[in-house]
Amino acid sequence: MPEDLTELNLPPEETAFFFDFDGTLAEIVEDPAAVAIDATVRHALHALFALSGGAVAIVSGREIDTLDGFLAPLRLPLGGAHGSERRDSSGRLHRVEADEPAIERLAAELEDVARRHDGLLVERKRLSVALHYRRRPDLESTCRAAARAAASPGVTLLEGKMVVELKLSGRTKGDLIADFMAEEPFRGRRPIFFGDDVTDEDGFRALPQWQGIGVKVGQGQTAAAHRIADPAALRAWLQRFADRNGTRRVELAS
Ligand SMILES: [Mg+2]
């Protein structure tokens, strides 16, 4: 598996750039609400957005409003909630309808587990409920078993890094990328997608239909053909890429 992304030919005007958020653009931290992205990442994303004519999107398990908060003042095309929400390039919002009683039932089951153990955190979203055990990695098997027990037909179980999540919609990050790829300015380009976790594999598996490039951030089995060590290495790559292409564009113009 090639480690070196510098060999990839990625003309910004012919490439569509997709990034996962947590563990990819941002480091994983104990409290998911305390995540922050480095100013260099925000700056590089902004440059990439300009260089590519707007073909940059974040695809995440987070909800769109939360992502906007982390990325501000940047406002990018976003896919959120593991595929259930999307804001396209024109700013239009696409959402899967929420089933509130079903979310309540799932939340009640996971909150019951969190009440019985210290350090667990239940996060309710519009279309899913997550149980975080970042502060209690020793409870991984307890949390996973509880989530498996709570999952009923029509509920998708996602087992991520220090989190299990029960999701009502069957849509995935692969669906999100496909939606963007069907629209301007993404259409007809070659996608590259960076992600670190299990749900990103759906995105990696969708890429061959556009001759796309998958880049796994960190260790672990993957369908991606490329790998980069960690979010810090991705930050450095992004910055070099934006600098190099920004300089090239100035040279071409002069
Ligand atoms: Mg991630």
Side-chain angles (χ1 to χ4, degrees):
M1 180 173 288
E3 296 274 338
D4 190 359
L5 301 185
T6 56
E7 287 170 21
L8 293 173
N9 179 33
L10 298 171
E13 60 281 1
E14 296 167 22
T15 308
F17 298 87
F18 296 98
F19 301 92
D20 166 51
F21 188 75
D22 293 87
T24 298
L25 292 176
E27 306 275 355
I28 302 262
V29 293
E30 266 193 7
D31 177 0
V35 156
I37 63 164
D38 204 274
T40 58
V41 170
R42 201 178 284 109
H43 186 78
L45 288 174
H46 184 75
L48 204 57
F49 188 78
L51 289 167
S52 68
V56 177
I58 312 294
V59 290
S60 169
R62 303 256 198 183
E63 295 182 319
I64 283 177
D65 291 349
T66 313
L67 291 168
D68 270 336
F70 290 133
L71 292 161
L74 256 189
R75 198 174 155 85
L76 295 174
L78 299 177
H82 301 292
S84 308
E85 298 183 344
R86 192 170 70 92
R87 184 173 67 219
D88 66 22
S89 285
S90 65
R92 222 180 116 216
L93 216 55
H94 309 257
R95 276 176 144 189
V96 174
E97 280 310 308
D99 176 349
E100 280 166 26
I103 286 290
E104 283 304 318
R105 273 197 301 280
L106 296 175
E109 295 216 34
L110 297 186
E111 276 161 4
D112 185 48
V113 182
R115 254 193 306 276
R116 282 185 278 119
H117 302 276
D118 282 340
L120 298 180
L121 177 71
V122 175
E123 182 189 8
R124 283 185 192 221
K125 306 183 196 175
R126 222 168 50 83
L127 288 147
S128 65
V129 185
L131 177 61
H132 296 272
Y133 52 90
R134 292 176 191 189
R135 290 200 183 105
R136 291 294 305 273
D138 57 304
L139 292 177
E140 173 169 338
S141 55
T142 305
C143 292
R144 290 189 175 210
R148 272 195 293 271
S152 49
V155 175
T156 307
L157 171 65
L158 304 174
E159 302 190 52
K161 286 181 184 165
M162 302 293 163
V163 62
V164 280
E165 187 155 358
L166 295 168
K167 184 178 77 146
L168 288 181
S169 144
R171 281 177 50 87
T172 68
K173 290 195 180 185
D175 298 322
L176 279 178
I177 291 173
D179 287 346
F180 282 117
M181 289 301 291
E183 296 169 354
E184 296 300 331
F186 300 91
R187 198 203 320 259
R189 296 180 182 227
R190 186 182 195 196
I192 182 166
F193 171 46
F194 298 83
D196 72 305
D197 210 343
V198 182
T199 57
D200 299 313
E201 295 299 319
D202 294 314
F204 294 140
R205 280 191 292 269
L207 294 173
Q209 59 187 303
W210 311 283
Q211 283 77 50
I213 302 157
V215 184
K216 164 88 172 174
V217 180
Q219 300 296 308
Q221 275 219 325
T222 183
H226 295 264
R227 196 185 293 273
I228 195 163
D230 51 28
L234 174 57
R235 272 203 299 280
W237 180 83
L238 265 176
Q239 204 170 5
R240 278 198 310 275
F241 187 85
D243 286 351
R244 192 170 59 242
N245 286 284
T247 308
R248 186 175 66 101
R249 182 177 252 201
V250 171
E251 282 168 359
L252 288 174
S254 62

